[in-house]
Amino acid sequence: MSTGRILPLLAHAVFTIALAAAAVAFAILRAWESPVIHGTSPNYSYRALGYRSPSGDDFSGITSTAMIQLKPLLPRDFDLGASFGTNVDLGTSPDGTFSKTRAELIVGDFLQALHVHPLAGRLISVADERRGAPVVLLSESKARQLFGHINDVVGRSLFTRKGFELRVIGVLPGAFRNGEGVIGADHTSFWAPYTIMAPLHLGHWPKGMPSADMVASMPFSGPAPVISSPRTISNAQLAVDLDLLLRNARGELLPRDATSLITVQPYTPFPADQQELQKRIRLSLMIAAAASAIAAINLLAVGWLRWLRRRPIAQIERVLGAKKLHFLTRFAKDVALALFGVLLLLVMLITGFIVVLHGLRYTEYSSVTDLHTLWPTLVWSMIPLIFVVTIAQAYPLSILLTGDADIQQNLQIRGSDHRSGTIIICAEVLLAALLSVAASWSLSHAWHSRHNDLGFLRSPATIVATEIARTSTDLRPNSPNQGSALELELDRVTAAVHSIAPGVPVGFGPEITRRDWSFFPKAASAGKRLTSACVVGTTNGWLQAGGTRILAGGAFSTATLEKNAVLVDVRVARLLFGSARAAVGSTMQIAGSPDPLYIVGVTAPMSLRGADHSACPLVLNDIRTNSYEIQTNPATLIIGRQFDAGERNALRGVLTQAFKHAGLQLNIVSVRTTNEERAWLAEEQTKQARVFVAIALFAWLIALSGVFAQLRLYLTMRKRLMAIYIALGALPTSLYLRVMTTALILGLTGMASALFALPWLAREFSFLSGTIVSPYGKETWIALVLLLLAIATVVHWPALRAAYAEPTDSLHEL
């Protein structure tokens, strides 16, 4: 197939691909940002509630106690509540079959705030939360799955795999999506009071659990509460109401340093993480839109050049008597055929995108990538496609039909043709340069995410990630000497590791995770100073094996177990005590903990979610003092030596046996070296960089093919003139350099234009990716140099061919 046929097909295909990606990204973004919560009242607005303080915005610091006590202070028709998710194995009998079920634990009047009306029974009340009532609400689909119908379901019993009994008090409509908006692939199937969280997972109530008022004794914070208000309330009135609420509640229910209450819409339990996901979608939309712009320009260029090549023949046809109707008929056929092809390809591509997104495991987009949600936006995407394809055909035809009928005059390139080609090349290079620079920034970001200091994993080590064995029912009850028992069990694990790697440091510590919602900060105070921190358990061996730096004080005592001894990272120390040294030996209080905590050491900050995520300030307690720390939370075992592949298999077997003999209900999820763990933590950034590079290469394909087409056809139309130059004695080298110089000047002009847009691009990239970049750093210049070299390579071959063409062949060609 000739170049004249390949280029138009390629241009149409590339434009359709870019437009399909932009349409899907835009449709998902619109659905993602919709304030509608399925199954709730359309007469109310739902927002995430937080507060602003000198240290920043906080949507996780309002406790369950505060939510319930704030309700009487709210204006009429306002309501407040929250929920957080977990997974529970559920069945209709203690000895029957169980299925993994997505559960939401209710805090305050969450369901009432969302104005959910049950199909049967009643909703969970604050009274249920206060007494820790073992009650549950089922979704309509779950009720039918378990009982075959929704009639007479109220009052029936359900059981967890651990044998804990729950009583069904209501059934919620299937349209209700729990207020999580569009987040997550798993839909909630049942709801329960948050105060029964412990027996849901343990199968029994631990000793010492309060009974009079469990809400007051078990304050919980983390997910942002939802605040509902009538739609008739304006934003200005809402701000006034929230200001009055703050004045009435500050100091008792809300932090003293809160300067204002703030809201975010649409509602999400985790606004910061939701905004990160929205940034990714906006980034994808921006890239797809830029690629669409480049592809549209290229499509126009190829269409124009296609008609330019046919201009001499068309002019001859006009001289021989062809009417404009003849050209219009040909134009209509070409447009109809092109539109049919691109529309068919567009539908196929959009269908493919949706299938791929639905097929991705743990995708966040599954609930918005359905035809009902995306169809209106996709229909609108047809309009720019039809417009651009039509213009691509009509623009060159209009030049042809309004041009001079003199054949000889039109056999040569017009000045307007040259100017149009120059503008098109500069525009293509401009957009390709911007995407190349963005790809370079993303590669640099991914590299730094993998190699930046995390505050731990500073030494060669092997990291064993574990999870709770949910299938086990053999859980040890609480006992006065639980700390001593756990210490013996951990010693058994250490001994098992030492059997294959003698003397290396070994220890259990907090989960290392990429999950956005794994750590819930709690209020931490010392005197009148207040901050928030995540409380996690660890051992000295974990800190030593991971290479964690202790900046002041020391680690936990190995001789005695001190229940209230903690280590804090330097951020907590500075905020509460002014310095790391001042914190050592001081006491602090954590919300929900009855006893003050004694600080024995201060560590460097640790980013347990990787370098790209904001690290929650940490308070580290001794994991040996609480047996439920390992029984209820995923833990990470760090061994201070790297094992090869064969040793890892042996390590898995040894640890599995050690966990079993020690009575630890743990399964091994992964065994990785330090470098592999860092790469795993930075995998999201690595994938993002790959996407940027792929899009940049896609832009290069469009831009370079456009440059090649422009130059090739331009030189083809000037063959006679160049043959005359050669016949008069012009050297091929001078012609070659003239063509190369002209093309490179155009490329440099496009890049120079891109330089003016780089500060804007840097701001957008920083906002969307969460990292600050320098618009004129070394990554920028590397990307531009590579693009210039690519342009030079593409220009070289047609320039060489034109410079060394045989003059006699060129003179007889037309």
Side-chain angles (χ1 to χ4, degrees):
M1 189 179 291
S2 65
T3 304
R5 292 180 179 273
I6 293 176
L7 284 177
L9 292 176
L10 178 63
H12 284 83
V14 168
F15 171 68
T16 308
I17 293 171
L19 186 63
V24 171
F26 182 62
I28 292 176
L29 184 62
R30 285 192 62 188
W32 203 283
E33 295 180 339
S34 171
V36 176
I37 299 176
H38 298 283
T40 61
S41 172
N43 299 320
Y44 286 81
S45 296
Y46 305 100
R47 298 174 173 88
L49 180 67
Y51 60 84
R52 180 162 293 160
S53 66
S55 59
D57 296 345
D58 192 340
F59 286 91
S60 61
I62 301 178
T63 66
S64 54
T65 305
M67 290 180 211
I68 294 173
Q69 295 183 12
L70 283 173
K71 182 180 178 181
L73 303 177
L74 292 170
R76 184 181 178 184
D77 293 331
F78 281 57
D79 220 326
L80 191 67
S83 73
F84 61 97
T86 187
N87 292 315
V88 178
D89 294 329
L90 208 63
T92 55
S93 68
D95 301 321
T97 59
F98 297 88
S99 60
K100 186 178 181 180
T101 305
R102 174 71 177 179
E104 285 290 325
L105 302 183
I106 300 300
V107 180
D109 280 338
F110 177 71
L111 296 173
Q112 291 84 344
L114 294 177
H115 305 92
V116 181
H117 300 287
L119 297 176
R122 64 176 180 87
L123 300 178
I124 295 170
S125 66
V126 173
D128 294 324
E129 297 172 44
R130 291 192 186 281
R131 61 189 178 89
V135 297
V136 64
L137 291 166
L138 293 177
S139 67
E140 181 180 1
S141 59
K142 193 66 177 180
R144 295 185 187 279
Q145 176 187 340
L146 293 174
F147 301 104
H149 53 78
I150 61 172
N151 301 323
D152 303 324
V153 172
V154 175
R156 302 285 291 272
S157 292
L158 294 175
F159 298 86
T160 68
R161 193 181 292 273
K162 306 292 179 61
F164 186 66
E165 183 177 3
L166 300 162
R167 181 169 56 87
V168 180
I169 61 170
V171 178
L172 298 186
F176 177 57
R177 285 192 179 173
N178 191 64
E180 62 212 347
V182 297
I183 299 177
D186 298 328
H187 296 300
T188 302
S189 297
F190 85 88
W191 295 258
Y194 88 95
T195 46
I196 66 169
M197 176 170 50
L200 273 180
H201 292 296
L202 299 177
H204 57 82
W205 290 98
K207 289 185 178 180
M209 292 293 290
S211 56
D213 186 355
M214 299 185 70
V215 170
S217 303
M218 298 173 57
F220 177 83
S221 63
V226 58
I227 183 169
S228 62
S229 60
R231 282 192 181 273
T232 54
I233 299 294
S234 65
N235 291 335
Q237 182 60 48
L238 178 65
V240 172
D241 293 335
L242 292 179
D243 185 62
L244 179 61
L245 177 64
L246 178 64
R247 290 201 300 269
N248 292 335
R250 185 190 279 117
E252 296 182 5
L253 304 178
L254 296 173
R256 296 182 182 88
D257 63 344
T259 57
S260 63
L261 289 173
I262 55 176
T263 60
V264 168
Q265 195 176 24
Y267 169 70
T268 169
F270 304 94
D273 298 304
Q274 174 81 334
Q275 289 167 1
E276 284 187 12
L277 294 174
Q278 288 174 334
K279 288 177 186 178
R280 293 192 207 123
I281 302 174
R282 289 193 188 100
L283 183 61
S284 301
L285 177 59
M286 183 185 72
I287 295 172
S292 299
I294 296 176
I297 293 172
N298 203 33
L299 183 62
L300 288 169
V302 170
W304 179 81
L305 292 168
R306 177 169 171 260
W307 281 99
L308 183 64
R309 169 174 277 183
R310 295 171 61 180
R311 179 188 294 178
I313 298 175
Q315 293 291 354
I316 293 174
E317 291 178 347
R318 289 188 63 188
V319 171
L320 295 176
K323 303 298 184 182
K324 289 187 177 182
L325 180 61
H326 166 75
F327 296 103
L328 291 175
T329 303
R330 182 187 298 175
F331 163 73
K333 291 180 179 179
D334 287 349
V335 170
L337 182 61
L339 284 176
F340 175 77
V342 296
L343 287 175
L344 180 62
L345 181 60
L346 181 69
V347 172
M348 293 172 60
L349 288 171
I350 289 174
T351 303
F353 281 142
I354 293 174
V355 170
V356 169
L357 287 174
H358 270 296
L360 292 176
R361 192 179 180 188
Y362 306 126
T363 177
E364 297 100 347
Y365 310 119
S366 62
S367 53
V368 295
T369 51
D370 59 82
L371 188 60
H372 176 74
T373 305
L374 297 181
W375 180 248
T377 305
L378 298 180
V379 170
W380 280 102
S381 70
M382 305 292 181
I383 297 176
L385 184 145
I386 294 172
F387 176 78
V388 172
V389 172
T390 304
I391 291 297
Q393 306 287 337
Y395 171 68
L397 182 67
S398 65
I399 295 177
L400 177 66
L401 296 180
T402 58
D404 194 284
D406 185 353
I407 301 175
Q408 296 301 323
Q409 180 179 348
N410 285 282
L411 287 176
Q412 303 298 328
I413 292 291
R414 290 182 175 183
S416 61
D417 299 335
H418 180 68
R419 288 192 296 271
S420 298
T422 298
I423 293 172
I424 291 170
I425 289 177
C426 290
E428 289 180 338
V429 173
L430 164 66
L431 293 173
L434 291 177
L435 286 180
S436 299
V437 170
S440 181
W441 289 344
S442 185
L443 284 170
S444 176
H445 177 212
W447 189 90
H448 284 97
S449 295
R450 181 166 178 172
H451 295 89
N452 275 356
D453 185 10
L454 302 178
F456 73 116
L457 297 183
R458 298 162 52 86
S459 306
T462 299
I463 298 92
V464 182
T466 67
E467 64 179 1
I468 307 302
R470 297 296 184 189
T471 57
S472 175
T473 58
D474 183 22
L475 278 179
R476 180 181 57 257
N478 201 356
S479 62
N481 62 343
Q482 60 172 315
S484 300
L486 181 60
E487 186 175 18
L488 292 174
E489 294 166 357
L490 298 182
D491 287 342
R492 290 177 182 175
V493 174
T494 302
V497 174
H498 285 169
S499 67
I500 57 175
V504 298
V506 182
F508 274 103
E511 180 185 20
I512 302 171
T513 179
R514 296 183 313 213
R515 293 184 300 175
D516 293 330
W517 310 322
S518 294
F519 302 105
F520 291 151
K522 297 182 179 180
S525 60
K528 294 183 178 181
R529 295 189 176 185
L530 182 71
T531 186
S532 60
C534 296
V535 182
V536 296
T538 187
T539 63
N540 290 342
W542 190 92
L543 299 173
Q544 182 182 358
T548 303
R549 288 182 297 152
I550 298 181
L551 305 180
F556 300 116
S557 171
T558 56
T560 59
L561 292 178
E562 301 177 74
K563 182 178 180 181
N564 296 321
V566 296
L567 283 79
V568 299
D569 78 18
V570 68
R571 293 164 297 179
V572 177
R574 288 171 179 166
L575 288 171
L576 295 184
F577 305 100
S579 68
R581 291 186 178 276
V584 177
S586 303
T587 59
M588 63 181 295
Q589 194 78 35
I590 294 292
S593 176
D595 302 319
L597 304 176
Y598 175 73
I599 300 173
V600 298
V602 178
T603 71
M606 286 184 278
S607 301
L608 297 176
R609 292 170 53 195
D612 200 52
H613 294 275
S614 57
C616 180
L618 296 179
V619 174
L620 303 139
N621 57 41
D622 193 339
I623 207 171
R624 300 173 299 169
T625 63
N626 185 357
S627 64
Y628 290 112
E629 183 75 31
I630 290 183
Q631 292 189 80
T632 59
N633 295 312
T636 303
L637 182 70
I638 298 185
I639 304 168
R641 204 201 88 180
Q642 291 194 156
F643 291 84
D644 58 31
E647 291 174 323
R648 285 187 227 176
N649 291 330
L651 181 64
R652 277 181 176 270
V654 167
L655 286 178
T656 300
Q657 292 298 319
F659 293 160
K660 181 178 180 181
H661 293 156
L664 297 174
Q665 312 300 324
L666 299 175
N667 290 331
I668 297 176
V669 176
S670 65
V671 181
R672 290 188 280 257
T673 64
T674 301
N675 290 335
E676 292 170 341
E677 189 77 3
R678 284 177 166 274
W680 177 75
L681 286 172
E683 186 175 1
E684 179 183 319
Q685 291 73 41
T686 303
K687 288 180 178 179
Q688 185 184 67
R690 290 171 181 165
V691 170
F692 267 104
V693 170
I695 296 298
L697 292 176
F698 185 66
W700 277 30
L701 172 65
I702 301 170
L704 296 178
S705 63
V707 170
F708 179 83
Q710 292 272 11
L711 184 62
R712 182 71 183 274
L713 293 175
Y714 177 78
L715 292 174
T716 299
M717 298 301 295
R718 293 177 64 88
K719 275 187 175 182
R720 272 191 164 185
L721 182 59
M722 297 188 72
I724 294 172
Y725 286 157
I726 295 175
L728 293 176
L731 295 176
T733 305
S734 64
L735 293 176
Y736 171 82
L737 291 176
R738 180 185 299 178
V739 175
M740 286 291 296
T741 302
T742 302
L744 291 179
I745 288 175
L746 292 178
L748 289 171
T749 302
M751 293 181 189
S753 302
L755 293 177
F756 291 101
L758 287 181
W760 166 83
L761 183 64
R763 287 194 299 271
E764 290 298 311
F765 185 87
S766 298
F767 175 76
L768 296 172
S769 65
T771 184
I772 298 176
V773 295
S774 171
Y776 303 111
K778 61 181 181 180
E779 296 86 358
T780 299
W781 302 113
I782 291 173
L784 295 180
V785 168
L786 289 176
L787 178 59
L788 187 62
L789 290 175
I791 293 173
T793 303
V794 167
V795 171
H796 166 75
W797 299 109
L800 190 67
R801 179 179 177 180
Y804 287 92
E806 185 64 36
T808 55
D809 293 340
S810 299
L811 289 171
H812 287 88
E813 205 166 284
L814 288 176

